[in-house]
Amino acid sequence: MANEAQPCPCDIGHKMEYGGMGSEVPVEHIQAYLCKPPSSTDKAVIVVQDIFGWQMPNTRYIADMIAANGYTVICPDFFVGKEPWQPNDDWSTFQDWLKTRNARNVDKEADAVLKYLKKHCNAKKIGIVGFCWGGVVVHHLMVKYPDFKAGVSVYGIIKDTEDVYALNNPTLFIFGEKDTVIPLEQINVLEKKLKEHCKVDYQIKIFPGQTHGFVHRKREDCKPEDRSCIEESRKNLIDWLNKYI
């Protein structure tokens, strides 16, 4: 992901000062952040962290936003206790760090969270949303698990294998036009492969002028065009969940 021209592939951006409306709960071998909606529901959404971890305030803000729209939302620690990436870490070591946190090796955690939602939260219809590293997790799980009725992968892409295009259920992919981590060429390949192999509804949305992390790590008041893209992308996310869950 890193290169000499872009040594910092995932700038933390604007880290919110936000405490969260939910609470932390144990889920078998991992911890998770759980937020419940205003009224009881059988609909739930798993939110998957970016490289900065499950306790990132920005991610919890999005989890609470989804919960406010009528879903039980859980954000588990998919790093299973391993330290998240820190903004002051040495980016030359990033690839080695990433190898110990494989976004396609999360089935044990996914199983535990699905079991928890069904047993303790009365969840019967479950979706999943992920950012960056978590977007890759979403892509992987939407191919492998029919349990997820809808998925939203936000600036996450799997590009090193051919077995990830037969999605089980509707999936929305959100990208920024100016994302140096995921260039437009990779998005074009994704779209081509989905057209060839995917039998369910999917959508790829590319937001003009936006960079990696814009949906949850950029302040809405940066520029007017940023604000409109951030608001539209979040609305698209909620609308997709509402449509298919």
Side-chain angles (χ1 to χ4, degrees):
M1 292 173 67
N3 56 53
E4 291 181 357
Q6 182 71 17
C8 178
C10 295
D11 187 350
I12 198 168
H14 301 289
K15 186 175 180 180
M16 294 179 179
E17 294 294 331
Y18 183 77
M21 302 293 290
S23 59
E24 295 184 5
V25 298
V27 178
E28 293 189 11
H29 62 294
I30 55 177
Q31 290 292 112
Y33 174 77
L34 180 70
C35 187
K36 295 189 176 181
S39 57
S40 61
T41 181
D42 63 356
K43 299 179 179 181
V45 173
I46 299 172
V47 171
V48 190
Q49 70 222 42
D50 59 19
I51 63 170
F52 299 109
W54 70 292
Q55 294 177 312
M56 174 78 167
N58 304 47
T59 305
R60 295 194 173 188
Y61 176 84
I62 297 293
D64 290 354
M65 179 194 76
I66 297 171
N69 282 271
Y71 299 90
T72 297
V73 180
I74 192 166
C75 180
D77 178 14
F78 275 96
F79 289 165
V80 197
K82 294 178 182 177
E83 285 295 312
W85 187 257
Q86 301 296 331
N88 58 352
D89 284 346
D90 180 0
W91 283 97
S92 68
T93 67
F94 180 71
Q95 291 298 333
D96 289 334
W97 176 90
L98 195 61
K99 288 175 183 176
T100 67
R101 294 155 181 82
N102 187 344
R104 300 193 70 194
N105 187 25
V106 296
D107 295 2
K108 182 179 179 182
E109 289 67 53
D111 289 339
V113 177
L114 285 168
K115 180 181 175 182
Y116 179 90
L117 288 172
K118 292 171 183 177
K119 182 177 180 180
H120 297 285
C121 301
N122 191 39
K124 295 181 174 59
K125 292 170 280 188
I126 302 172
I128 186 166
V129 174
F131 300 89
C132 184
W133 184 91
V136 178
V137 171
V138 170
H139 191 165
H140 164 71
L141 293 178
M142 289 304 295
V143 170
K144 190 163 185 179
Y145 282 72
D147 306 69
F148 296 111
K149 301 305 179 188
V152 183
S153 174
V154 188
Y155 27 81
I157 195 169
I158 300 174
K159 56 184 180 295
D160 57 353
T161 180
E162 287 290 318
D163 63 348
V164 292
Y165 303 108
L167 302 167
N168 276 296
N169 282 303
T171 306
L172 169 65
F173 295 87
I174 294 175
F175 299 105
E177 179 194 21
K178 302 297 185 181
D179 190 337
T180 57
V181 178
I182 304 173
L184 291 174
E185 292 80 8
Q186 292 180 9
I187 302 172
N188 292 336
V189 170
L190 172 66
E191 186 166 26
K192 177 178 179 292
K193 295 289 188 179
L194 288 174
K195 284 180 179 178
E196 292 174 357
H197 301 288
C198 188
K199 305 299 183 184
V200 299
D201 194 14
Y202 67 88
Q203 187 177 5
I204 295 174
K205 288 210 67 173
I206 303 171
F207 283 83
Q210 297 307 303
T211 56
H212 195 79
F214 78 97
V215 178
H216 77 306
R217 293 206 310 261
K218 182 183 282 188
R219 284 203 319 268
E220 289 90 335
D221 60 353
C222 286
K223 292 184 289 188
E225 56 267 35
D226 290 337
R227 183 184 183 93
S228 62
C229 285
I230 293 167
E231 290 179 346
E232 182 182 347
S233 65
R234 293 176 180 177
K235 183 178 185 302
N236 292 161
L237 185 158
I238 295 296
D239 287 347
W240 192 265
L241 298 175
N242 289 345
K243 184 176 181 179
Y244 292 107
I245 299 179

